[in-house]
Amino acid sequence: MLSGDQDLPDGIGMARLAWTRLPTADGAGAGAEGPGPVPASPSSAGYELFAGGVESLDYEVIENYAYREEQAQRSKFWVPYYVMLKWLFSLLIGVGTGLAAIFINLAVENFSGWKYAATFAIIQHSYFVGFFVYIVFNLALVFSSVYIVTNFAPAAAGSGIPEIKGYLNGVDTHGILLFRTLVGKIFGSIGSVGGGLALGKEGPLVHTGACIASLLGQGGSAKYHLSSRWVRIFESDRDRRDLVTCGCAAGVAAAFRAPVGGVLFALEEVTSWWRSHLMWRVFFTSAVVAVVVRSAMNWCKSGKCGHFGSGGFIIWDISGGQEDYSYQELLPMAIIGVIGGFLGALFNQLTLYITKWRRTYLHKKGKRVKIFEACLISLVTSTISFVLPLMRKCSSCPQLETNSGIECPRPPGTDGNFVNFYCSKDNEYNDLATIFFNTQDDAIRNLFSAKTFHEYSAQSLITFLVMFYSLAVVTFGTAVPAGQFVPGIMIGSTYGRLVGMFVVKFYKKLNVEEGTYALLGAASFLGGSMRMTVSLCVIMVEITNNLKLLPLIMLVLLISKAVGDFFNEGLYEVQAQLRGIPLLDSRPKQVMRNMSAKDACKNQKVVSLPRVSRIVDIISVLRSNKHNGFPVVDRGQNGESLVIGLILRSHLLVLLQSKVDFQNSPFPCGPGILNRHNTSDFVKPASSKGKSIDDIHLTEDELGLYLDLAPFLNPSPYIVPEDMSLAKVYNLFRQLGLRHIFVVPRPSRVVGLITRQDLLLEENGNNVTTELQSTSVRGQLNGKMLSGSTHLGHPLLDSIVVEE
């Protein structure tokens, strides 16, 4: 066999020089096993198929023949066009997510308005008939939601944030970014939230924004004939990841009218990889969302949006509330943080147990059981929210200030306090109905309201807290789109208002507002459950329009997160683990510092392929295991097996299906193969389904042919020496968003040493004259050798040794 050196470009040639012979195990011959991916996480070691069809993403650039040829053929106008499209798509993502949020809010507010208006009109004559109408209305909405999800878009169930967080962490879950998932998320959220379930629409809006971004990035949906090839430029997982990040930020900005909070949410909670250019586009997208939503609100103030009116978009203005606070209030505020941490951790644990039981014993029985479960929970929720206020005795309206803008009483379902429900006198109100028999947005607005002392009794608040907390735990995990932001705010503001009532009673000389403590309670529960700090703090300030409370919100968030972390992980991490999504945390486990890369992969049986492989052998390898990456080996000048690169399973399937690269000769092919493929041929579809080995149909003659893998492999994958600590491998794997890392014996010769200054190249490709350090044994590396090594500029490194 020819050595093939003359057929290899610099990338493969350098790889062969730098890499040593394959390690052998148990006396296996060279080539039977090869250097394998390091199991730095459950997603590596080559075994990248997890529960539910979860698969790792390819964020690394595959610098093969087709990629380099395409890069060389691009004109000088391609980069400006590429950058322009990125900004254009950021604009479109903002507009699309804003319009989706407007549609969802308008639909939810109008359905709720019609429901409460009809119910309130009927109960003037018969409470039993009004109760029946109320239940039927909620059942119809919830049934529509669960039917859409179970029969049309199963991936639309839940909030979607754990799946999106996994996607941005490098793990793809089948179906989460499809067009039908987007449709199911929008209409399912309208039914579930409008039906009065103890869940919100804010989490699903994050998923909605991510779906819009992904669909734009792939040029639309080919299945539903809504695609365009003119914008199909973002074909790599790396580009799609950036667009999905913009979509996540846009979803939060649209849900809370908090553009800065949306940027920080994407940075703190969902993304694992960030850079300054992405920050600019994410911020621009959030700003576009804010403009779109504000324009819609101004248009709705004229009364053209039906029951929507001026409410619905979640913002609870308490700028006219408490102006100052005393050091005596810090103790009860700290207590709120402790309560939030404990209740948030308890919520995470209870939802984990119930969701496990539901998946194990309930949802396996089919779609009908899921539909029945959701309808049963709707029936129970409607009964509790209607019957409990009937059992509560009404209270007389308090004396209010003439300029307070508060009216007592008000009918249910409207934006205001003091709801008249089952009261014998016109000047009475039902405090439990004010928060129970109302939309969640209006209920939170009532709990946050200032200048409303003694509006709620402690008994009513405790009753609501226990019942709504239980309903939120049970509802979470049903087969409907469900967010936990608003239910968390409801729960937290209830016990926060309770603590505020205690402070008002015992610190009578202080200017204390119960609504202020309700806000702090809401922040504490979200911090104790979701474990967000910076982004949640900014979101709470933006939605309440009160910057003076920023230090207090920071205090309760820090306390609640610390208390919650003592018991368990955050809500999204717990749910991701339950769904089989192997997230890589920001820092490695302590035990990894005492392990080497060799220790992590010593039990592997990683299969390698020769450079020129028989088709029947490739088919056999693909059928016998589920690895997604295979080392490719070739014979060196001394007859030893050397690794020349990595070939992906998806690329092999494309080559086997096209058949144009099959050859009769068992020797390496010439460079003419380059014109047969471009990078778009190997792009994985956004559906994450891809090709399967079962889709490949070959004749007996074709099985006897050969395939040269050199033009299609990645000649420069990341490699680490076998004695590197697993903690360093973990950081490299996560920070660069890798899918595979080769572990090889330590090379013997040093080619050179790359410093920071070697990477600061001028536009003409020549190195700058000043060298910070140069200990190269073969001279200074030129720009050509470094042109394909853009990842070497790691922020934590001072120099990199290039070894042979």
Side-chain angles (χ1 to χ4, degrees):
M1 180 184 298
L2 297 176
S3 66
D5 289 347
Q6 67 273 18
D7 299 326
L8 300 175
D10 291 342
I12 297 180
M14 289 299 300
R16 293 186 56 181
L17 289 175
W19 297 355
T20 59
R21 67 178 60 87
L22 291 173
T24 59
D26 301 329
E33 299 180 19
V38 174
S41 74
S43 64
S44 29
Y47 300 92
E48 298 147 24
L49 293 178
F50 309 100
V54 179
E55 184 179 345
S56 297
L57 291 166
D58 293 310
Y59 288 154
E60 183 182 0
V61 177
I62 308 299
E63 298 176 337
N64 54 20
Y65 282 6
Y67 173 82
R68 297 188 181 193
E69 184 185 29
E70 186 171 297
Q71 292 289 321
Q73 292 178 352
R74 285 173 176 170
S75 67
K76 61 181 180 181
F77 301 105
W78 188 89
V79 172
Y81 173 70
Y82 178 73
V83 174
M84 180 196 69
L85 271 187
K86 279 189 173 182
W87 285 98
L88 176 62
F89 276 35
S90 299
L91 172 66
L92 295 178
I93 291 170
V95 173
T97 306
L99 293 177
I102 293 167
F103 176 73
I104 293 175
N105 278 277
L106 286 177
V108 169
E109 289 294 314
N110 278 285
F111 277 126
S112 300
W114 296 331
K115 175 179 63 178
Y116 286 116
T119 304
F120 185 73
I122 294 174
I123 63 176
Q124 304 301 320
H125 308 283
S126 172
Y127 274 87
F128 178 78
V129 178
F131 174 55
F132 178 78
V133 172
Y134 181 70
I135 286 181
V136 170
F137 213 113
N138 284 336
L139 270 177
L141 289 172
V142 173
F143 176 80
S144 67
S145 175
V146 68
Y147 186 84
I148 290 173
V149 170
T150 54
N151 290 277
F152 181 68
S159 69
I161 294 181
E163 289 82 359
I164 299 303
K165 186 173 182 178
Y167 183 89
L168 296 177
N169 192 259
V171 181
D172 194 7
T173 306
H174 173 61
I176 61 171
L177 298 174
L178 299 181
F179 177 73
R180 66 171 181 266
T181 303
L182 171 63
V183 175
K185 209 74 178 182
I186 293 175
F187 290 96
S189 298
I190 294 173
S192 60
V193 178
L197 294 180
L199 42 81
K201 55 184 177 293
E202 289 67 35
L205 265 175
V206 176
H207 194 179
T208 299
C211 289
I212 293 174
S214 178
L215 289 170
L216 286 173
Q218 63 177 323
S221 174
K223 180 178 180 180
Y224 298 99
H225 306 288
L226 299 173
S227 62
S228 173
R229 64 184 179 88
W230 299 106
V231 294
R232 201 174 300 160
I233 189 175
F234 303 108
E235 296 178 326
S236 68
D237 289 334
R238 179 187 296 261
D239 290 332
R240 291 174 181 173
R241 172 187 61 187
D242 292 350
L243 293 176
V244 170
T245 302
C246 293
C248 291
V252 175
F256 296 106
R257 280 175 49 197
V260 179
V263 176
L264 294 177
F265 175 83
L267 172 61
E268 177 185 8
E269 187 61 23
V270 294
T271 59
S272 302
W273 194 82
W274 196 263
R275 66 185 189 276
S276 58
H277 292 294
L278 181 59
M279 171 78 80
W280 276 95
R281 294 200 302 274
V282 170
F283 186 77
F284 173 70
T285 304
S286 299
V288 172
V289 171
V291 172
V292 172
V293 173
R294 173 64 67 179
S295 301
M297 290 186 63
N298 292 335
W299 184 70
C300 287
K301 287 182 179 179
S302 60
K304 299 178 181 179
C305 299
H307 288 275
F308 180 79
S310 60
F313 289 106
I314 300 177
I315 182 166
W316 305 290
D317 194 343
I318 60 171
S319 57
Q322 186 171 337
E323 296 291 337
D324 200 3
Y325 48 88
S326 170
Y327 69 93
Q328 294 175 311
E329 298 181 70
L330 295 180
L331 178 60
M333 291 175 180
I335 293 175
I336 288 178
V338 174
I339 296 174
F342 176 76
L343 290 182
L346 179 63
F347 182 88
N348 295 353
Q349 203 65 33
L350 291 176
T351 53
L352 175 63
Y353 290 150
I354 293 178
T355 306
K356 278 185 177 180
W357 175 84
R358 181 181 278 129
R359 285 170 171 256
T360 304
Y361 300 103
L362 205 61
H363 286 179
K364 287 185 177 181
K365 297 181 179 180
K367 300 177 181 178
R368 293 184 178 180
V369 175
K370 296 180 181 180
I371 295 175
F372 177 79
E373 178 199 20
C375 293
L376 179 62
I377 293 176
S378 173
L379 180 63
V380 173
T381 303
S382 301
T383 302
I384 291 175
S385 61
F386 192 97
V387 174
L388 281 184
L390 295 177
M391 300 179 180
R392 179 64 185 164
K393 184 180 179 180
C394 292
S395 305
S396 300
C397 289
Q399 296 293 331
L400 300 172
E401 299 178 5
T402 56
N403 58 350
S404 63
I406 300 175
E407 179 184 354
C408 181
R410 285 217 179 187
T414 60
D415 180 14
N417 305 73
F418 306 110
V419 172
N420 188 318
F421 185 78
Y422 200 61
C423 297
S424 57
K425 299 180 181 180
D426 293 338
N427 62 339
E428 291 182 338
Y429 74 99
N430 191 319
D431 61 343
L432 194 55
T434 302
I435 48 178
F436 238 138
F437 198 70
N438 222 331
T439 63
Q440 292 182 5
D441 296 353
D442 291 337
I444 294 172
R445 193 174 291 109
N446 296 338
L447 289 169
F448 281 1
S449 61
K451 312 302 180 184
T452 54
F453 291 103
H454 311 299
E455 178 181 356
Y456 304 98
S457 65
Q459 181 182 0
S460 296
L461 290 178
I462 293 174
T463 302
F464 177 79
L465 176 61
V466 173
M467 298 308 300
F468 192 84
Y469 189 95
S470 303
L471 289 174
V473 169
V474 174
T475 307
F476 188 85
T478 53
V480 294
Q484 284 305 117
F485 277 102
V486 169
I489 293 174
M490 289 276 288
I491 295 170
S493 58
T494 304
Y495 67 74
R497 185 118 188 170
L498 272 170
V499 176
M501 292 171 59
F502 172 83
V503 174
V504 169
K505 183 177 181 180
F506 287 92
Y507 297 126
K508 297 181 180 179
K509 295 183 179 180
L510 298 176
N511 182 22
V512 177
E513 290 285 356
E514 297 175 3
T516 300
Y517 285 82
L519 167 65
L520 298 179
S524 69
F525 185 84
L526 292 178
S529 176
M530 300 179 183
R531 313 294 160 79
M532 297 187 298
T533 53
V534 179
S535 59
L536 182 57
C537 182
V538 174
I539 289 174
M540 297 303 294
V541 170
E542 287 187 282
I543 63 179
T544 56
N545 195 26
N546 195 330
L547 190 60
K548 296 178 181 179
L549 299 179
L550 178 61
L552 302 182
I553 297 175
M554 295 171 63
L555 173 66
V556 297
L557 281 176
L558 291 173
I559 295 176
S560 63
K561 184 182 186 302
V563 173
D565 286 338
F566 180 78
F567 294 101
N568 51 29
E569 293 183 304
L571 177 66
Y572 300 136
E573 287 75 15
V574 170
Q575 294 300 317
Q577 181 181 4
L578 183 63
R579 288 167 168 80
I581 302 174
L583 295 179
L584 292 181
D585 296 331
S586 58
R587 58 180 63 181
K589 304 292 185 183
Q590 185 63 33
V591 67
M592 292 184 178
R593 303 191 182 279
N594 300 321
M595 297 177 61
S596 66
K598 182 178 180 180
D599 295 332
C601 62
K602 61 183 179 181
N603 295 324
Q604 290 185 37
K605 300 288 184 181
V606 181
V607 181
S608 62
L609 294 171
R611 172 182 173 175
V612 182
S613 301
R614 292 184 63 195
I615 303 300
V616 66
D617 296 334
I618 298 176
I619 293 291
S620 176
V621 168
L622 295 179
R623 289 190 182 277
S624 61
N625 64 80
K626 295 184 178 180
H627 295 15
N628 283 302
F630 301 93
V632 179
V633 299
D634 197 9
R635 296 290 179 182
Q637 295 180 353
N638 299 326
E640 57 183 356
S641 295
L642 298 178
V643 186
I644 62 172
L646 174 75
I647 187 79
L648 294 178
R649 181 188 190 93
S650 59
H651 290 190
L652 287 174
L653 292 174
V654 171
L655 296 174
L656 291 175
Q657 191 174 56
S658 67
K659 304 179 183 180
V660 297
D661 304 294
F662 294 176
Q663 60 186 44
N664 294 315
S665 171
F667 301 104
C669 63
I673 193 74
L674 301 182
N675 297 326
R676 299 180 184 175
H677 293 280
N678 52 46
T679 55
S680 61
D681 296 337
F682 302 99
V683 172
K684 188 178 74 172
S687 63
S688 74
K689 198 171 182 179
K691 294 181 175 62
S692 170
I693 185 63
D694 297 328
D695 301 328
I696 306 300
H697 304 286
L698 301 174
T699 64
E700 290 293 333
D701 294 337
E702 291 171 337
L703 290 175
L705 299 178
Y706 294 87
L707 178 63
D708 186 0
L709 303 179
F712 315 104
L713 56 80
N714 181 6
S716 55
Y718 288 89
I719 62 173
V720 296
E722 59 184 350
D723 56 350
M724 177 182 285
S725 72
L726 192 57
K728 293 180 67 174
V729 176
Y730 185 99
N731 291 328
L732 181 67
F733 199 99
R734 187 183 187 277
Q735 293 176 12
L736 295 181
L738 303 181
R739 187 176 186 179
H740 304 90
I741 292 182
F742 278 7
V743 179
V744 299
R746 179 171 291 279
S748 58
R749 290 188 295 168
V750 177
V751 175
L753 189 146
I754 299 175
T755 66
R756 181 184 300 271
Q757 200 69 14
D758 294 314
L759 301 173
L760 301 177
L761 305 180
E762 296 179 353
E763 293 184 359
N764 59 5
N766 297 323
N767 287 8
V768 291
T769 56
T770 305
E771 277 293 321
L772 296 180
Q773 181 183 9
S774 181
T775 58
S776 175
V777 298
R778 290 193 178 182
Q780 185 179 1
L781 299 178
N782 58 35
K784 181 179 180 181
M785 289 177 59
L786 297 178
S787 61
S789 306
T790 56
H791 294 301
L792 293 178
H794 194 279
L796 302 179
L797 301 180
D798 178 66
S799 60
I800 296 178
V801 175
V802 181
E803 298 173 313
E804 179 179 344

